[in-house]
mmCIF file of all heavy atoms in Angstrom:
data_model
loop_
_atom_site.group_PDB
_atom_site.id
_atom_site.type_symbol
_atom_site.label_atom_id
_atom_site.label_comp_id
_atom_site.label_asym_id
_atom_site.label_seq_id
_atom_site.Cartn_x
_atom_site.Cartn_y
_atom_site.Cartn_z
ATOM 1 N N PRO A 26 46.377 146.437 126.611
ATOM 2 C CA PRO A 26 47.063 146.452 125.323
ATOM 3 C C PRO A 26 47.067 145.070 124.671
ATOM 4 O O PRO A 26 47.110 144.044 125.350
ATOM 5 C CB PRO A 26 48.488 146.891 125.676
ATOM 6 C CG PRO A 26 48.690 146.431 127.086
ATOM 7 C CD PRO A 26 47.334 146.506 127.738
ATOM 8 N N ALA A 27 46.997 145.083 123.356
ATOM 9 C CA ALA A 27 47.042 143.846 122.573
ATOM 10 C C ALA A 27 48.345 143.117 122.858
ATOM 11 O O ALA A 27 49.374 143.739 123.101
ATOM 12 C CB ALA A 27 46.941 144.164 121.086
ATOM 13 N N SER A 28 48.278 141.783 122.826
ATOM 14 C CA SER A 28 49.494 141.013 123.076
ATOM 15 C C SER A 28 49.415 139.665 122.380
ATOM 16 O O SER A 28 48.335 139.153 122.103
ATOM 17 C CB SER A 28 49.697 140.800 124.581
ATOM 18 O OG SER A 28 48.703 139.934 125.089
ATOM 19 N N LEU A 29 50.574 139.112 122.131
ATOM 20 C CA LEU A 29 50.660 137.772 121.560
ATOM 21 C C LEU A 29 50.014 136.753 122.490
ATOM 22 O O LEU A 29 49.325 135.838 122.043
ATOM 23 C CB LEU A 29 52.127 137.418 121.287
ATOM 24 C CG LEU A 29 52.405 136.023 120.760
ATOM 25 C CD1 LEU A 29 51.686 135.774 119.444
ATOM 26 C CD2 LEU A 29 53.920 135.822 120.588
ATOM 27 N N ALA A 30 50.195 136.917 123.803
ATOM 28 C CA ALA A 30 49.617 135.976 124.771
ATOM 29 C C ALA A 30 48.096 135.924 124.647
ATOM 30 O O ALA A 30 47.495 134.862 124.796
ATOM 31 C CB ALA A 30 50.027 136.367 126.187
ATOM 32 N N GLN A 31 47.464 137.060 124.360
ATOM 33 C CA GLN A 31 46.005 137.078 124.189
ATOM 34 C C GLN A 31 45.598 136.540 122.816
ATOM 35 O O GLN A 31 44.560 135.919 122.675
ATOM 36 C CB GLN A 31 45.462 138.500 124.337
ATOM 37 C CG GLN A 31 45.534 139.052 125.742
ATOM 38 C CD GLN A 31 44.849 140.396 125.813
ATOM 39 O OE1 GLN A 31 43.646 140.466 126.011
ATOM 40 N NE2 GLN A 31 45.614 141.461 125.644
ATOM 41 N N LEU A 32 46.413 136.797 121.802
ATOM 42 C CA LEU A 32 46.077 136.403 120.439
ATOM 43 C C LEU A 32 46.236 134.898 120.211
ATOM 44 O O LEU A 32 45.429 134.287 119.515
ATOM 45 C CB LEU A 32 46.933 137.184 119.440
ATOM 46 C CG LEU A 32 46.578 137.034 117.970
ATOM 47 C CD1 LEU A 32 45.142 137.464 117.701
ATOM 48 C CD2 LEU A 32 47.546 137.842 117.116
ATOM 49 N N LYS A 33 47.253 134.300 120.820
ATOM 50 C CA LYS A 33 47.556 132.881 120.580
ATOM 51 C C LYS A 33 46.350 131.957 120.743
ATOM 52 O O LYS A 33 46.079 131.148 119.863
ATOM 53 C CB LYS A 33 48.693 132.409 121.496
ATOM 54 C CG LYS A 33 50.030 132.386 120.840
ATOM 55 C CD LYS A 33 51.066 131.774 121.776
ATOM 56 C CE LYS A 33 52.418 131.824 121.121
ATOM 57 N NZ LYS A 33 53.463 131.283 121.986
ATOM 58 N N PRO A 34 45.597 132.035 121.842
ATOM 59 C CA PRO A 34 44.476 131.103 122.000
ATOM 60 C C PRO A 34 43.377 131.279 120.951
ATOM 61 O O PRO A 34 42.607 130.363 120.707
ATOM 62 C CB PRO A 34 43.931 131.408 123.395
ATOM 63 C CG PRO A 34 44.907 132.295 124.050
ATOM 64 C CD PRO A 34 45.786 132.872 123.008
ATOM 65 N N MET A 35 43.304 132.438 120.333
ATOM 66 C CA MET A 35 42.279 132.703 119.317
ATOM 67 C C MET A 35 42.606 132.083 117.969
ATOM 68 O O MET A 35 41.735 131.957 117.115
ATOM 69 C CB MET A 35 42.110 134.214 119.129
ATOM 70 C CG MET A 35 41.620 134.926 120.340
ATOM 71 S SD MET A 35 41.658 136.701 120.043
ATOM 72 C CE MET A 35 41.909 137.284 121.698
ATOM 73 N N MET A 36 43.847 131.718 117.776
ATOM 74 C CA MET A 36 44.282 131.264 116.460
ATOM 75 C C MET A 36 43.540 130.009 115.994
ATOM 76 O O MET A 36 43.336 129.825 114.798
ATOM 77 C CB MET A 36 45.794 131.050 116.424
ATOM 78 C CG MET A 36 46.612 132.330 116.618
ATOM 79 S SD MET A 36 46.112 133.711 115.553
ATOM 80 C CE MET A 36 46.490 133.080 113.960
ATOM 81 N N SER A 37 43.098 129.168 116.917
ATOM 82 C CA SER A 37 42.352 127.974 116.499
ATOM 83 C C SER A 37 40.979 128.351 115.933
ATOM 84 O O SER A 37 40.382 127.583 115.193
ATOM 85 C CB SER A 37 42.194 127.002 117.668
ATOM 86 O OG SER A 37 41.460 127.614 118.710
ATOM 87 N N ASP A 38 40.488 129.542 116.269
ATOM 88 C CA ASP A 38 39.211 130.017 115.741
ATOM 89 C C ASP A 38 39.380 130.843 114.472
ATOM 90 O O ASP A 38 38.399 131.347 113.925
ATOM 91 C CB ASP A 38 38.485 130.858 116.792
ATOM 92 C CG ASP A 38 38.056 130.024 117.989
ATOM 93 O OD1 ASP A 38 37.763 128.830 117.807
ATOM 94 O OD2 ASP A 38 38.020 130.575 119.102
ATOM 95 N N ILE A 39 40.616 131.012 114.026
ATOM 96 C CA ILE A 39 40.894 131.792 112.813
ATOM 97 C C ILE A 39 41.686 130.898 111.859
ATOM 98 O O ILE A 39 42.911 130.985 111.769
ATOM 99 C CB ILE A 39 41.686 133.086 113.134
ATOM 100 C CG1 ILE A 39 40.977 133.900 114.226
ATOM 101 C CG2 ILE A 39 41.856 133.927 111.866
ATOM 102 C CD1 ILE A 39 41.756 135.119 114.699
ATOM 103 N N PRO A 40 41.015 130.010 111.131
ATOM 104 C CA PRO A 40 41.718 129.038 110.289
ATOM 105 C C PRO A 40 42.489 129.663 109.129
ATOM 106 O O PRO A 40 43.383 129.026 108.587
ATOM 107 C CB PRO A 40 40.595 128.124 109.780
ATOM 108 C CG PRO A 40 39.344 128.894 109.955
ATOM 109 C CD PRO A 40 39.564 129.839 111.092
ATOM 110 N N SER A 41 42.195 130.916 108.790
ATOM 111 C CA SER A 41 42.896 131.565 107.678
ATOM 112 C C SER A 41 44.272 132.088 108.084
ATOM 113 O O SER A 41 45.052 132.507 107.229
ATOM 114 C CB SER A 41 42.052 132.716 107.120
ATOM 115 O OG SER A 41 41.813 133.682 108.137
ATOM 116 N N LEU A 42 44.583 132.034 109.384
ATOM 117 C CA LEU A 42 45.861 132.550 109.887
ATOM 118 C C LEU A 42 46.565 131.494 110.726
ATOM 119 O O LEU A 42 45.930 130.623 111.300
ATOM 120 C CB LEU A 42 45.629 133.800 110.742
ATOM 121 C CG LEU A 42 45.011 134.998 110.045
ATOM 122 C CD1 LEU A 42 44.695 136.086 111.058
ATOM 123 C CD2 LEU A 42 45.923 135.524 108.954
ATOM 124 N N LYS A 43 47.887 131.626 110.806
ATOM 125 C CA LYS A 43 48.659 130.752 111.679
ATOM 126 C C LYS A 43 49.847 131.531 112.218
ATOM 127 O O LYS A 43 50.307 132.493 111.610
ATOM 128 C CB LYS A 43 49.134 129.502 110.931
ATOM 129 C CG LYS A 43 50.142 129.787 109.837
ATOM 130 C CD LYS A 43 50.623 128.522 109.174
ATOM 131 C CE LYS A 43 51.677 128.883 108.129
ATOM 132 N NZ LYS A 43 52.312 127.723 107.563
ATOM 133 N N LEU A 44 50.327 131.086 113.349
ATOM 134 C CA LEU A 44 51.530 131.663 113.938
ATOM 135 C C LEU A 44 52.705 130.774 113.607
ATOM 136 O O LEU A 44 52.660 129.568 113.844
ATOM 137 C CB LEU A 44 51.384 131.799 115.456
ATOM 138 C CG LEU A 44 50.398 132.851 115.943
ATOM 139 C CD1 LEU A 44 50.229 132.753 117.447
ATOM 140 C CD2 LEU A 44 50.849 134.247 115.542
ATOM 141 N N ASP A 45 53.746 131.355 113.052
ATOM 142 C CA ASP A 45 54.977 130.643 112.727
ATOM 143 C C ASP A 45 56.003 131.073 113.763
ATOM 144 O O ASP A 45 56.440 132.223 113.769
ATOM 145 C CB ASP A 45 55.423 131.004 111.308
ATOM 146 C CG ASP A 45 56.716 130.329 110.901
ATOM 147 O OD1 ASP A 45 57.281 129.558 111.702
ATOM 148 O OD2 ASP A 45 57.179 130.589 109.774
ATOM 149 N N CYS A 46 56.368 130.164 114.649
ATOM 150 C CA CYS A 46 57.245 130.491 115.766
ATOM 151 C C CYS A 46 58.698 130.095 115.524
ATOM 152 O O CYS A 46 59.479 130.002 116.463
ATOM 153 C CB CYS A 46 56.729 129.830 117.036
ATOM 154 S SG CYS A 46 55.074 130.376 117.474
ATOM 155 N N GLU A 47 59.062 129.845 114.273
ATOM 156 C CA GLU A 47 60.451 129.491 113.978
ATOM 157 C C GLU A 47 61.323 130.734 114.056
ATOM 158 O O GLU A 47 60.897 131.823 113.720
ATOM 159 C CB GLU A 47 60.559 128.874 112.584
ATOM 160 C CG GLU A 47 59.912 127.513 112.473
ATOM 161 C CD GLU A 47 60.051 126.925 111.081
ATOM 162 O OE1 GLU A 47 61.019 127.266 110.383
ATOM 163 O OE2 GLU A 47 59.181 126.134 110.705
ATOM 164 N N GLY A 48 62.546 130.552 114.493
ATOM 165 C CA GLY A 48 63.469 131.678 114.557
ATOM 166 C C GLY A 48 63.258 132.509 115.806
ATOM 167 O O GLY A 48 62.667 132.066 116.778
ATOM 168 N N GLU A 49 63.725 133.758 115.755
ATOM 169 C CA GLU A 49 63.722 134.601 116.938
ATOM 170 C C GLU A 49 62.366 135.223 117.241
ATOM 171 O O GLU A 49 62.007 135.427 118.382
ATOM 172 C CB GLU A 49 64.762 135.722 116.791
ATOM 173 C CG GLU A 49 64.926 136.506 118.062
ATOM 174 C CD GLU A 49 66.088 137.445 118.007
ATOM 175 O OE1 GLU A 49 67.184 137.002 117.644
ATOM 176 O OE2 GLU A 49 65.890 138.619 118.323
ATOM 177 N N GLY A 50 61.596 135.517 116.238
ATOM 178 C CA GLY A 50 60.297 136.155 116.460
ATOM 179 C C GLY A 50 59.165 135.213 116.120
ATOM 180 O O GLY A 50 59.335 134.021 115.957
ATOM 181 N N VAL A 51 58.005 135.803 116.021
ATOM 182 C CA VAL A 51 56.800 135.083 115.655
ATOM 183 C C VAL A 51 56.222 135.781 114.451
ATOM 184 O O VAL A 51 56.095 136.998 114.436
ATOM 185 C CB VAL A 51 55.773 135.083 116.808
ATOM 186 C CG1 VAL A 51 54.484 134.437 116.386
ATOM 187 C CG2 VAL A 51 56.341 134.430 118.041
ATOM 188 N N ARG A 52 55.895 135.006 113.425
ATOM 189 C CA ARG A 52 55.298 135.605 112.234
ATOM 190 C C ARG A 52 53.830 135.213 112.183
ATOM 191 O O ARG A 52 53.492 134.045 112.339
ATOM 192 C CB ARG A 52 56.013 135.135 110.973
ATOM 193 C CG ARG A 52 57.457 135.648 110.926
ATOM 194 C CD ARG A 52 58.128 135.290 109.653
ATOM 195 N NE ARG A 52 58.162 133.821 109.492
ATOM 196 C CZ ARG A 52 58.706 133.209 108.465
ATOM 197 N NH1 ARG A 52 59.245 133.875 107.484
ATOM 198 N NH2 ARG A 52 58.701 131.888 108.402
ATOM 199 N N LEU A 53 52.976 136.197 111.959
ATOM 200 C CA LEU A 53 51.569 135.952 111.732
ATOM 201 C C LEU A 53 51.421 135.767 110.231
ATOM 202 O O LEU A 53 51.664 136.684 109.453
ATOM 203 C CB LEU A 53 50.712 137.116 112.230
ATOM 204 C CG LEU A 53 49.195 136.956 112.103
ATOM 205 C CD1 LEU A 53 48.704 135.736 112.883
ATOM 206 C CD2 LEU A 53 48.488 138.211 112.563
ATOM 207 N N MET A 54 51.064 134.548 109.847
ATOM 208 C CA MET A 54 51.073 134.162 108.428
ATOM 209 C C MET A 54 49.672 133.816 107.951
ATOM 210 O O MET A 54 48.834 133.397 108.736
ATOM 211 C CB MET A 54 51.962 132.934 108.236
ATOM 212 C CG MET A 54 53.366 133.048 108.800
ATOM 213 S SD MET A 54 54.401 134.183 107.889
ATOM 214 C CE MET A 54 54.655 133.265 106.387
#
């Protein structure tokens, strides 16, 4: 199953997206 743990390392290869970890959750922005 898809997970944040798997997605996080890919974010450096996706410059159009970022993870915002402020607050209680994580926003994919």
